[in-house]
Amino acid sequence: MPKVQPLTPEFLEETVIARGVTYRFRELSIGEYDDLVQKATTKRPNGLGGEDEMIDNAVLLKLMVIKCSVDPKLTPEALAKLPMRVVMKFNSTVNRMHY
């Protein structure tokens, strides 16, 4: 059952222990989130002569995990080298923190 977090002005922080390593994640500000959404958005032709904006949610989630990481600070290269189940735990944590 998900934990209910009170709505306070402080940023939520959570820790994840994965394979003996403790990782800390911090909730994003809305400005940080908007910036990441923009980075994960591309324009594609829509067949009517215009363009539609498409958000790549897989890219968005990876960007969010990297941006939320506090200690150790994850890089795209470091995240790519981690085992799938560890990354899935990070994804779950970041999703729960924001949605």
Side-chain angles (χ1 to χ4, degrees):
M1 183 154 106
K3 292 188 260 181
V4 176
Q5 299 293 334
L7 292 176
T8 63
E10 295 83 28
F11 286 88
L12 181 65
E13 286 198 9
E14 290 195 28
T15 59
V16 174
I17 300 172
R19 302 197 178 172
V21 179
T22 301
Y23 296 87
R24 277 191 11 214
F25 294 91
R26 178 191 61 85
E27 180 181 19
L28 297 174
S29 71
I30 191 64
E32 291 170 321
Y33 176 77
D34 288 345
D35 181 54
L36 297 180
V37 168
Q38 186 177 21
K39 289 178 181 177
T41 301
T42 57
K43 292 184 179 185
R44 296 187 182 159
N46 64 12
L48 300 172
E51 292 182 324
D52 290 332
E53 290 186 345
M54 304 290 290
I55 299 172
D56 186 329
N57 288 312
V59 170
L60 177 58
L61 186 54
K62 287 178 187 176
L63 292 172
M64 288 175 69
V65 167
I66 292 165
K67 186 70 174 181
C68 289
S69 68
V70 175
D71 184 38
K73 184 65 181 161
L74 295 172
T75 63
E77 298 78 18
L79 185 65
K81 291 179 183 177
L82 290 171
M84 183 66 178
R85 290 190 304 171
V86 171
V87 175
M88 294 302 290
K89 178 63 178 171
F90 295 166
N91 291 351
S92 175
T93 300
V94 168
N95 265 324
R96 189 179 64 254
M97 290 173 77
H98 294 88
Y99 306 113

